[in-house]
Amino acid sequence: MPTLAARMDRLGTETAFDVLAKANKLAAGGADMINLGIGQPDFPTPPHIVEAAAKALKDGHHGYTAANGIPALRQAVSADLARRHGVEVDPDRVVVVPGGKVTMFFAMLMFGEPGAEIIYPDPGFPIYRSSIEFSGATAVPLPLREENGFAFSAEELLSLITPRTRLIIVNSPANPTGGVTPVEEMDKLAAGLANHPDVAILSDEIYSCMLYGGRQHRSILQYPHLADRAIMLDGWSKTYAMTGWRLGYAVWPESLVEKATRLAINDHSCVNAAAQFAGIAALEGPQDAALDMVAAFDERRQATVVALNGLPGVRCVDPGGAFYAFPNISGTGLDARTLQDRLLNEAHVAAIAGTSFGVHGEGYLRISYANSKENILRAIDRIGSVLAG
Ligand code: PLP
């Protein structure tokens, strides 16, 4: 056996992919599976974006690009940030990478090492904890609570900061809960961070275009006093239904741009050129398809919440963003993992146990409503049958 580095034992994974593999196996065996497990839009990428990539290939864009992304794309990102968040960002602070996840990994490589602490949301996207632990740093969970609509509490987050804290991670709208942190809470966090000038912030805003019920998004970029230590992660995967294209970006503090670019050069050289041209078309072209997708998600969201609240032993708060509901299932008498497995095997419904997103996810299930309303309601009906039996 080859001898591996010890850090390989600390690398976690996303159980959503395991559930997907099991669901696919059951479907291959003839089961009528309904997948509410997957974290990606069920819509195709809008045609004008696909066309732009095809054109780029026909026009001969087949080689490496600048490691931080082609200038026209970084300018398009900067213009989009001005439009959406009312901020002026120098395109040279934008580093384009193959998907949102890459920025996370870069941040952990920059800040994580034994002895350092990094605070992350729990329940939260599983790669946060996995990549923190891989870096050797100590992962410090910030509990997110149902009674706050799964928004984080700035006071609680600030209370977890110690002299060893290097980085804090926030995510709104959030995976897996759909929770949206109110603007006032972000303001409180930003004000409190003024007392911790050595702590960096990674704000994962990948779902910032998916907000419902008049909720507002406050970007970390809107706090000028944090500009020298805030990293804003965003990308195309969710907003433009482009998960398979592998295209994301971050706005880095000026002092870290060269370091992020150096990591890109060591890791992947650049994002493939055609995907970058598609990214320009997405940001500069018509937004109707993206807006229609959000409207469809909103309709399904409302139907999902009503149906879930009708199940025995289940209650579900109104998710304000993304495309997930996070019902409390503790009244069913089943733990999250048992319910996940029973739904998969008995009802042929794929949904993810809350514990896949951290210890504070016990008692919850993640339902992705990136599926047709008809399928969602059929699935929830089947969940009801399992709970009744
Ligand atoms: N951040 C969050 C909170 C996510 O849920 C995801 C994907 O599920 C990502 C980042 C990663 O996105 P990408 O597919 O662009 O790497």
Side-chain angles (χ1 to χ4, degrees):
M1 275 293 279
T3 307
L4 293 180
R7 62 176 168 266
M8 288 310 296
D9 290 334
R10 300 195 300 265
L11 195 61
T13 187
E14 260 189 86
T15 12
F17 284 100
D18 296 343
V19 173
L20 183 65
K22 280 186 201 147
N24 286 342
K25 204 166 158 194
L26 284 165
D32 172 27
M33 289 299 308
I34 305 177
N35 196 338
L36 305 184
I38 194 77
Q40 68 178 344
D42 56 319
F43 298 95
T45 305
H48 71 280
I49 300 176
V50 177
E51 275 308 311
K55 181 172 181 314
L57 288 172
K58 281 189 198 131
D59 288 350
H61 294 285
H62 302 164
Y64 294 123
T65 72
N68 57 341
I70 56 180
L73 178 58
R74 291 185 291 101
Q75 272 153 19
V77 167
S78 169
D80 180 55
L81 295 172
R83 218 168 18 240
R84 291 197 295 126
H85 305 319
V87 292
E88 232 176 84
V89 170
D90 183 344
D92 284 346
R93 286 177 58 205
V94 176
V95 179
V96 177
V97 281
K101 271 180 179 167
V102 179
T103 295
M104 257 169 237
F105 217 75
F106 282 9
M108 300 326 154
L109 290 174
M110 273 190 213
F111 293 100
E113 62 183 338
E117 290 176 3
I118 298 180
I119 302 172
Y120 70 101
D122 180 345
F125 188 50
I127 301 305
Y128 300 142
R129 180 173 163 198
S130 166
S131 55
I132 294 167
E133 291 184 340
F134 187 71
S135 78
T138 302
V140 179
L142 166 69
L144 300 183
R145 302 177 201 287
E146 183 183 347
E147 59 267 30
N148 296 336
F150 297 108
F152 65 76
S153 146
E155 197 181 329
E156 191 170 9
L157 174 44
L158 292 164
S159 77
L160 294 173
I161 294 177
T162 74
R164 289 177 298 285
T165 306
R166 293 259 178 94
L167 177 73
I168 61 177
I169 304 172
V170 292
N171 171 220
S172 176
N175 178 5
T177 61
V180 173
T181 297
V183 170
E184 313 81 66
E185 211 57 30
M186 281 296 286
D187 285 349
K188 262 194 231 167
L189 175 65
L193 284 173
N195 301 322
H196 302 281
D198 298 330
V199 174
I201 311 108
L202 171 63
S203 179
D204 182 342
E205 304 183 16
I206 199 129
Y207 294 103
S208 55
C209 289
M210 294 174 168
L211 285 164
Y212 314 108
R215 288 173 178 83
Q216 299 292 314
H217 178 70
R218 176 55 60 94
S219 173
I220 202 73
L221 297 173
Q222 290 169 296
Y223 302 99
H225 73 285
L226 300 177
D228 61 349
R229 53 199 167 108
I231 304 155
M232 197 286 282
L233 178 163
D234 203 338
W236 288 258
S237 296
K238 317 288 174 174
T239 312
Y240 297 102
M242 292 176 71
T243 51
W245 293 71
R246 308 316 299 141
L247 187 64
Y249 71 88
V251 176
W252 292 86
E254 208 180 304
S255 64
L256 298 183
V257 170
E258 197 270 337
K259 291 179 171 56
T261 307
R262 201 175 274 220
L263 282 168
I265 292 169
N266 275 269
D267 182 64
H268 56 263
S269 297
C270 64
V271 174
N272 91 67
Q276 295 191 56
F277 280 92
I280 298 174
L283 296 178
E284 293 185 344
Q287 301 297 306
D288 329 22
L291 294 172
D292 288 351
M293 192 164 70
V294 175
F297 282 142
D298 192 12
E299 197 191 326
R300 296 166 183 185
R301 173 186 79 102
Q302 296 179 41
T304 303
V305 171
V306 170
L308 287 170
N309 277 317
L311 296 177
V314 176
R315 64 164 192 259
C316 183
V317 296
D318 200 35
F323 39 71
Y324 308 109
F326 205 59
N328 183 321
I329 50 106
S330 51
T332 64
L334 299 171
D335 64 66
R337 183 58 202 262
T338 305
L339 184 57
Q340 170 194 292
D341 292 346
R342 286 194 54 191
L343 294 181
L344 194 63
N345 296 317
E346 295 171 30
H348 296 151
V349 170
I352 315 285
T355 41
S356 297
F357 306 95
V359 292
H360 295 280
E362 185 53 277
Y364 297 91
L365 200 63
R366 188 188 78 171
I367 302 278
S368 161
Y369 49 85
N371 204 323
S372 70
K373 195 162 139 189
E374 187 201 346
N375 278 345
I376 294 166
L377 294 179
R378 269 199 316 137
I380 296 176
D381 213 45
R382 290 190 199 173
I383 297 174
S385 303
V386 169
L387 295 177

